[in-house]
Amino acid sequence: MKPLLDSAREAVKDIQDGATLLVGGFGLVGIPENLILALEEKGVKDLTVISNNCGVDDWGLGLLLKNKQIKKMIGSYVGENKEFERQVLAGELEVELIPQGTLAERIRAGGAGIPAFFTPAGVGTPVAEGKETRMFGGKEYLMELGLTADFSLVRAAKGDKAGNLIFNKTARNFNPMIAAAGKVTIAEVEELVEIGELDPDAIHTPGVYVQRMIVGKQEKRIERLTVKQG
Amino acid sequence: MNTREKIARRAEKEIESGFYVNLGIGIPTMVANYISDNKQVVLQSENGLLGIGPFPEESEVDPDLINAGKETVTAISGASYFDSAESFGMIRGGHIDIAILGGMEVSENGDLANWMIPGKMIKGMGGAMDLVHGAKKIIVIMDHVNKAGESKILKECKLPLTGKGVVQRIITDRAVMDVTENGLVLVETAEGFTAEDIQNCTEAKLSVSDSLKLYAY
């Protein structure tokens, strides 16, 4: 049984100023909405946040950005957020942009006990600056390091009380790797079920990676609503 | 037909039946609209979907189901979902047959710049740097010249690169060019453009293919 907390506020109680956080989601899909709102309310500052994107101006990680709670952002695409651009150009926010596949693999490696790996992505580009390179089979590769964090915040569609998680459709994205790469992983689930109710073969994230849980109702804002024409 | 549509329709011809395809954001996404019904094609979305379907009816919109451009989509019958590490493993591992990407600049040796304008734009590269090293064939589709009328096909890229020596074919509103060991080879021109016209609006040196198709699209 994993500790099930009554509120998101309680779940993030020990996240201190200066902490490093891994946060699941691609765009606004699969983000732990209530845990982010609780961090905004708590007002914890100087955070290093690792997440593919940084929300939009008024939702998701964009809320922490607007509140000046993020000191450094590590991600792959932050183009949806005007405040982000403003803070970077004004020197208020540090940013490290990483190729999306490299980001995913660095987090996977971090959670899987692999300190570094070689990838072709970024060779001959600004991403390669200051990085060790090596030739394999006549082709050049960059060494990239595994990533871990003090806390990982993820969202799943379903979880059982043993911490086993199942994600829905493209809301899976970075969540499984992030769940494995946090010293403390907090899972926000839309629906909590009893142990034994989930098919063991259908579980995406085994409970061993999850330290605490909350149940949270999601708004699931849509960034770009596109429907069939005519 | 506007130039975006013209480029997208020409790019569709690069896709063969049975291909797994990744389409970049912008004009590349439009290519999906023109895929012939005779072709069996599976579209990959790097946020974790193999088998992108058409946009949903209003009643079937699922906020948990988007493409890499963050648009709501559907999944085709036979689709699969997976996490981002698996998605890029699939890309880097050479399992995607073709990636069609947008471009700001391409050089004559196949360097691509499409992610950053220093001092102006802070968006990030997303999955482009991984894609250019993974897919079996990389095709860049873009306007031949920029808004100021200057060639986007250069001897050397001026903008920070996305990848070095990664592009195999360039398709523009005016021409199709292949990147070869001997530099750029002009293989097709669009309606209204001679080989000379194309060289005149291209900074990089072009050689003309023996089998050049004039007014091909």
Coordinates of all heavy atoms in Angstrom, one line a residue, chain B residues 150-212:
Chain B
E150 N 15.3 36.0 -50.9 CA 16.7 35.5 -50.9 C 16.6 33.9 -50.8 O 15.7 33.4 -50.2 CB 17.5 36.0 -49.7 CG 17.7 37.5 -49.7 CD 17.9 38.0 -48.3 OE1 17.6 37.3 -47.3 OE2 18.4 39.2 -48.2
S151 N 17.6 33.3 -51.5 CA 17.6 31.8 -51.5 C 17.7 31.2 -50.1 O 18.5 31.7 -49.2 CB 18.9 31.4 -52.3 OG 19.0 30.0 -52.2
K152 N 16.9 30.2 -49.9 CA 17.0 29.4 -48.6 C 17.9 28.2 -48.8 O 18.1 27.5 -47.8 CB 15.6 29.0 -48.2 CG 14.7 30.2 -47.8 CD 13.3 29.8 -47.5 CE 13.2 29.0 -46.2 NZ 11.8 28.8 -45.8
I153 N 18.4 28.0 -50.0 CA 19.3 26.9 -50.3 C 20.7 27.5 -50.5 O 20.9 28.2 -51.5 CB 18.8 26.1 -51.5 CG1 17.4 25.6 -51.2 CG2 19.7 25.0 -51.9 CD1 16.5 25.3 -52.4
L154 N 21.6 27.3 -49.6 CA 22.8 28.0 -49.5 C 24.0 27.2 -49.6 O 24.0 25.9 -49.4 CB 22.8 28.7 -48.1 CG 21.6 29.6 -47.7 CD1 21.7 30.0 -46.3 CD2 21.6 30.8 -48.6
K155 N 25.2 27.8 -49.9 CA 26.5 27.1 -49.8 C 26.7 26.6 -48.4 O 27.1 25.5 -48.2 CB 27.6 28.0 -50.2 CG 27.6 28.4 -51.7 CD 28.9 29.0 -52.1 CE 29.0 29.2 -53.6 NZ 28.1 30.2 -54.2
E156 N 26.4 27.5 -47.4 CA 26.6 27.1 -46.0 C 25.4 27.7 -45.2 O 25.1 28.9 -45.5 CB 27.9 27.6 -45.4 CG 29.0 26.6 -45.5 CD 30.3 27.1 -44.9 OE1 30.2 27.4 -43.7 OE2 31.3 27.2 -45.6
C157 N 24.9 27.0 -44.3 CA 23.8 27.6 -43.5 C 24.4 28.7 -42.6 O 25.5 28.6 -42.1 CB 23.1 26.6 -42.6 SG 22.2 25.3 -43.5
K158 N 23.6 29.8 -42.4 CA 24.0 30.9 -41.5 C 23.4 30.7 -40.1 O 24.0 31.1 -39.1 CB 23.6 32.2 -42.1 CG 24.2 32.5 -43.4 CD 23.8 33.9 -43.9 CE 24.3 34.1 -45.3 NZ 23.3 33.8 -46.4
L159 N 22.3 30.1 -40.0 CA 21.6 29.9 -38.7 C 22.2 28.6 -38.0 O 22.8 27.8 -38.7 CB 20.1 29.6 -39.0 CG 19.3 30.8 -39.5 CD1 17.9 30.4 -40.0 CD2 19.2 31.9 -38.5
P160 N 22.0 28.5 -36.7 CA 22.4 27.4 -36.0 C 21.8 26.1 -36.5 O 20.6 26.1 -36.9 CB 21.9 27.6 -34.5 CG 21.7 29.1 -34.4 CD 21.4 29.5 -35.8
L161 N 22.6 25.0 -36.7 CA 22.1 23.8 -37.3 C 21.2 23.0 -36.5 O 21.3 23.0 -35.3 CB 23.3 23.0 -37.8 CG 24.3 23.6 -38.8 CD1 25.3 22.5 -39.2 CD2 23.5 24.0 -40.0
T162 N 20.4 22.2 -37.2 CA 19.6 21.2 -36.6 C 20.3 19.8 -36.7 O 20.3 19.0 -35.8 CB 18.2 21.1 -37.3 OG1 17.6 22.4 -37.2 CG2 17.3 20.1 -36.6
G163 N 21.0 19.7 -37.9 CA 21.8 18.5 -38.1 C 22.7 18.8 -39.3 O 22.4 19.6 -40.1
K164 N 23.8 18.0 -39.3 CA 24.9 18.2 -40.3 C 24.8 17.1 -41.3 O 24.8 15.9 -40.9 CB 26.2 18.2 -39.6 CG 27.2 19.3 -40.0 CD 28.4 19.2 -39.2 CE 29.6 19.8 -39.9 NZ 29.3 21.1 -40.6
G165 N 24.7 17.5 -42.6 CA 24.7 16.4 -43.6 C 23.6 15.4 -43.5 O 23.8 14.2 -43.7
V166 N 22.4 15.9 -43.2 CA 21.3 14.9 -42.9 C 20.2 14.9 -44.0 O 19.4 14.0 -44.0 CB 20.7 15.3 -41.5 CG1 21.7 15.0 -40.4 CG2 20.2 16.7 -41.5
V167 N 20.1 15.9 -44.8 CA 19.0 16.0 -45.8 C 19.4 15.3 -47.0 O 20.5 15.4 -47.6 CB 18.7 17.5 -46.1 CG1 17.6 17.6 -47.1 CG2 18.4 18.3 -44.9
Q168 N 18.4 14.5 -47.5 CA 18.6 13.8 -48.8 C 18.0 14.5 -50.0 O 18.5 14.4 -51.1 CB 18.1 12.3 -48.7 CG 19.1 11.4 -48.2 CD 18.8 10.9 -46.8 OE1 17.7 10.3 -46.6 NE2 19.6 11.2 -45.8
R169 N 16.8 15.1 -49.7 CA 16.1 15.7 -50.9 C 15.4 17.0 -50.4 O 14.9 17.0 -49.2 CB 15.1 14.7 -51.4 CG 14.2 15.3 -52.5 CD 13.4 14.2 -53.2 NE 14.2 13.7 -54.4 CZ 13.7 13.0 -55.4 NH1 12.5 12.7 -55.4 NH2 14.5 12.6 -56.3
I170 N 15.4 18.0 -51.2 CA 14.7 19.3 -50.9 C 13.6 19.5 -51.9 O 13.9 19.3 -53.1 CB 15.7 20.5 -51.0 CG1 17.0 20.2 -50.2 CG2 15.0 21.8 -50.6 CD1 18.1 21.2 -50.6
I171 N 12.4 19.7 -51.4 CA 11.3 20.0 -52.3 C 10.8 21.4 -52.0 O 10.5 21.7 -50.9 CB 10.2 19.0 -52.1 CG1 10.6 17.6 -52.5 CG2 8.9 19.4 -53.0 CD1 9.6 16.5 -52.1
T172 N 10.8 22.3 -53.0 CA 10.3 23.7 -52.8 C 9.2 23.9 -53.7 O 8.7 23.1 -54.5 CB 11.4 24.7 -53.1 OG1 11.6 24.8 -54.5 CG2 12.7 24.3 -52.4
D173 N 8.6 25.2 -53.7 CA 7.6 25.5 -54.6 C 8.1 25.6 -56.0 O 7.3 25.7 -57.0 CB 7.0 26.9 -54.1 CG 8.0 27.9 -53.9 OD1 9.1 27.6 -53.5 OD2 7.7 29.1 -54.3
R174 N 9.4 25.6 -56.2 CA 10.0 25.8 -57.5 C 10.7 24.6 -58.1 O 10.9 24.5 -59.3 CB 10.9 27.0 -57.5 CG 10.3 28.3 -57.1 CD 11.2 29.4 -57.1 NE 10.5 30.6 -56.6 CZ 11.0 31.8 -56.6 NH1 12.3 32.0 -57.0 NH2 10.4 32.8 -56.1
A175 N 11.3 23.7 -57.2 CA 12.1 22.7 -57.7 C 12.3 21.5 -56.7 O 12.0 21.7 -55.5 CB 13.5 23.2 -58.1
V176 N 12.8 20.4 -57.2 CA 13.2 19.3 -56.4 C 14.7 19.1 -56.6 O 15.2 19.0 -57.8 CB 12.4 18.0 -56.8 CG1 12.9 16.8 -55.9 CG2 10.9 18.2 -56.6
M177 N 15.5 19.0 -55.5 CA 16.9 18.8 -55.6 C 17.4 17.7 -54.7 O 16.9 17.6 -53.6 CB 17.6 20.1 -55.2 CG 17.4 21.3 -56.1 SD 17.1 22.9 -55.2 CE 15.5 22.6 -54.6
D178 N 18.3 16.9 -55.1 CA 18.9 15.9 -54.3 C 20.3 16.3 -53.8 O 21.0 17.0 -54.5 CB 19.0 14.6 -55.1 CG 17.7 13.9 -55.3 OD1 16.8 14.1 -54.4 OD2 17.5 13.1 -56.2
V179 N 20.6 15.9 -52.6 CA 21.9 16.2 -52.0 C 22.7 14.9 -52.3 O 22.4 13.8 -52.0 CB 21.8 16.4 -50.5 CG1 23.2 16.6 -49.9 CG2 20.9 17.5 -50.1
T180 N 23.8 15.1 -53.1 CA 24.7 14.0 -53.5 C 26.1 14.3 -53.1 O 26.4 15.4 -52.6 CB 24.7 13.8 -55.0 OG1 25.4 14.8 -55.6 CG2 23.2 13.8 -55.5
E181 N 27.0 13.3 -53.2 CA 28.4 13.5 -52.9 C 29.0 14.6 -53.8 O 30.0 15.3 -53.4 CB 29.2 12.2 -53.2 CG 29.0 11.2 -52.1 CD 29.6 9.9 -52.4 OE1 30.4 9.8 -53.4 OE2 29.4 9.0 -51.6
N182 N 28.4 14.9 -54.9 CA 28.9 15.9 -55.8 C 28.1 17.2 -55.7 O 28.0 18.0 -56.6 CB 28.9 15.4 -57.3 CG 29.6 14.1 -57.4 OD1 30.7 14.0 -56.9 ND2 29.0 13.2 -58.1
G183 N 27.4 17.4 -54.6 CA 26.7 18.6 -54.4 C 25.2 18.4 -54.8 O 24.7 17.3 -54.9
L184 N 24.5 19.6 -54.9 CA 23.1 19.5 -55.2 C 22.8 19.2 -56.7 O 23.4 19.8 -57.6 CB 22.4 20.9 -54.8 CG 22.3 21.2 -53.4 CD1 21.8 22.6 -53.2 CD2 21.4 20.2 -52.7
V185 N 21.9 18.3 -56.9 CA 21.5 18.0 -58.3 C 20.0 18.4 -58.5 O 19.2 17.9 -57.7 CB 21.7 16.5 -58.5 CG1 21.2 16.1 -59.9 CG2 23.2 16.1 -58.4
L186 N 19.8 19.1 -59.5 CA 18.4 19.5 -59.8 C 17.7 18.4 -60.5 O 18.2 18.0 -61.6 CB 18.4 20.8 -60.7 CG 17.1 21.3 -61.1 CD1 16.2 21.8 -60.0 CD2 17.3 22.5 -62.1
V187 N 16.6 17.9 -60.0 CA 16.0 16.7 -60.6 C 14.6 17.1 -61.2 O 14.1 16.4 -62.1 CB 15.9 15.5 -59.7 CG1 17.2 14.9 -59.4 CG2 15.1 15.8 -58.4
E188 N 13.9 18.1 -60.7 CA 12.6 18.5 -61.2 C 12.5 20.0 -61.1 O 13.0 20.6 -60.1 CB 11.5 17.9 -60.4 CG 11.3 16.4 -60.7 CD 10.1 15.8 -59.9 OE1 9.2 16.6 -59.5 OE2 10.2 14.6 -59.6
T189 N 11.8 20.6 -62.0 CA 11.4 22.0 -61.8 C 9.8 22.0 -61.8 O 9.2 21.2 -62.4 CB 11.9 22.9 -62.9 OG1 11.2 22.5 -64.2 CG2 13.4 22.8 -63.1
A190 N 9.3 23.0 -61.1 CA 7.9 23.2 -61.1 C 7.4 23.9 -62.3 O 8.3 24.6 -63.0 CB 7.5 23.9 -59.8
E191 N 6.1 23.9 -62.6 CA 5.6 24.6 -63.7 C 6.0 26.1 -63.8 O 6.0 26.8 -62.8 CB 4.1 24.5 -63.7 CG 3.6 23.4 -64.6 CD 2.1 23.3 -64.6 OE1 1.4 24.3 -64.8 OE2 1.6 22.2 -64.3
G192 N 6.5 26.5 -64.9 CA 6.9 27.9 -65.1 C 8.4 28.2 -64.8 O 8.8 29.3 -64.9
F193 N 9.1 27.2 -64.4 CA 10.5 27.4 -64.1 C 11.5 26.6 -64.9 O 11.3 25.3 -65.0 CB 10.8 27.1 -62.6 CG 10.1 28.1 -61.6 CD1 8.9 27.7 -61.1 CD2 10.6 29.3 -61.3 CE1 8.2 28.5 -60.2 CE2 10.0 30.1 -60.5 CZ 8.7 29.8 -59.9
T194 N 12.4 27.2 -65.6 CA 13.5 26.5 -66.3 C 14.6 26.2 -65.3 O 14.7 26.7 -64.2 CB 14.0 27.3 -67.4 OG1 14.7 28.5 -66.9 CG2 13.0 27.8 -68.4
A195 N 15.6 25.3 -65.8 CA 16.7 25.0 -64.9 C 17.5 26.3 -64.6 O 18.0 26.5 -63.5 CB 17.6 24.0 -65.6
E196 N 17.6 27.2 -65.6 CA 18.3 28.4 -65.4 C 17.6 29.3 -64.4 O 18.2 29.9 -63.5 CB 18.4 29.1 -66.8 CG 19.4 30.2 -66.8 CD 19.4 30.9 -68.2 OE1 18.6 30.6 -69.1 OE2 20.2 31.9 -68.3
D197 N 16.3 29.4 -64.5 CA 15.5 30.1 -63.4 C 15.8 29.6 -62.0 O 16.0 30.4 -61.1 CB 14.0 29.9 -63.6 CG 13.5 30.6 -64.9 OD1 14.1 31.5 -65.4 OD2 12.4 30.1 -65.4
I198 N 15.9 28.3 -61.9 CA 16.2 27.8 -60.6 C 17.6 28.1 -60.1 O 17.7 28.6 -58.9 CB 16.0 26.2 -60.6 CG1 14.5 25.9 -61.0 CG2 16.3 25.6 -59.2 CD1 13.4 26.4 -60.1
Q199 N 18.6 28.0 -60.9 CA 19.9 28.4 -60.5 C 20.0 29.9 -60.2 O 20.6 30.2 -59.2 CB 20.9 28.0 -61.6 CG 22.4 28.4 -61.3 CD 22.9 27.6 -60.0 OE1 23.2 26.4 -60.1 NE2 22.9 28.2 -58.9
N200 N 19.2 30.7 -60.9 CA 19.3 32.1 -60.7 C 18.7 32.5 -59.3 O 19.0 33.6 -58.8 CB 18.5 32.9 -61.8 CG 19.3 32.9 -63.1 OD1 20.5 32.7 -63.0 ND2 18.7 33.2 -64.2
C201 N 17.8 31.7 -58.7 CA 17.3 32.0 -57.4 C 17.8 31.1 -56.3 O 17.3 31.0 -55.2 CB 15.7 32.0 -57.4 SG 15.0 30.4 -57.8
T202 N 18.9 30.4 -56.6 CA 19.6 29.5 -55.6 C 21.0 29.9 -55.4 O 21.8 30.0 -56.4 CB 19.5 28.0 -56.2 OG1 18.2 27.7 -56.6 CG2 20.0 27.0 -55.1
E203 N 21.4 30.1 -54.2 CA 22.7 30.6 -53.9 C 23.7 29.4 -54.1 O 24.8 29.6 -54.6 CB 22.9 31.1 -52.4 CG 24.2 31.7 -52.2 CD 24.7 31.6 -50.7 OE1 25.3 30.5 -50.4 OE2 24.5 32.5 -49.9
A204 N 23.3 28.2 -53.7 CA 24.2 27.0 -53.8 C 24.3 26.7 -55.3 O 23.4 27.0 -56.1 CB 23.6 25.8 -53.1
K205 N 25.4 26.1 -55.7 CA 25.6 25.7 -57.1 C 24.8 24.4 -57.3 O 24.9 23.4 -56.6 CB 27.1 25.4 -57.3 CG 27.5 24.9 -58.7 CD 27.9 26.1 -59.6 CE 28.2 25.6 -61.0 NZ 27.1 25.1 -61.7
L206 N 24.1 24.4 -58.4 CA 23.3 23.2 -58.8 C 23.9 22.5 -60.0 O 24.3 23.2 -61.0 CB 21.9 23.6 -59.1 CG 21.0 24.3 -58.1 CD1 19.7 24.7 -58.7 CD2 20.8 23.4 -56.9
S207 N 23.9 21.2 -60.1 CA 24.2 20.6 -61.3 C 22.8 20.0 -61.8 O 22.0 19.8 -61.0 CB 25.3 19.5 -61.2 OG 25.0 18.6 -60.2
V208 N 22.7 19.9 -63.1 CA 21.4 19.4 -63.6 C 21.4 18.0 -63.9 O 22.3 17.5 -64.6 CB 21.0 20.3 -64.9 CG1 19.7 19.8 -65.5 CG2 21.0 21.8 -64.5
S209 N 20.4 17.2 -63.4 CA 20.4 15.8 -63.7 C 20.2 15.5 -65.1 O 19.5 16.3 -65.8 CB 19.2 15.2 -62.8 OG 18.9 13.9 -63.3
D210 N 20.8 14.4 -65.6 CA 20.6 14.0 -67.0 C 19.1 13.7 -67.3 O 18.6 13.8 -68.4 CB 21.4 12.7 -67.3 CG 22.9 13.0 -67.3 OD1 23.2 14.2 -67.4 OD2 23.6 12.0 -67.1
S211 N 18.4 13.3 -66.2 CA 17.0 13.0 -66.4 C 16.1 14.0 -65.8 O 15.0 13.7 -65.3 CB 16.7 11.6 -65.8 OG 17.2 11.6 -64.4
L212 N 16.5 15.3 -65.9 CA 15.7 16.4 -65.3 C 14.3 16.4 -65.9 O 14.1 16.3 -67.1 CB 16.4 17.7 -65.7 CG 15.6 19.0 -65.4 CD1 15.5 19.3 -63.9 CD2 16.1 20.2 -66.1

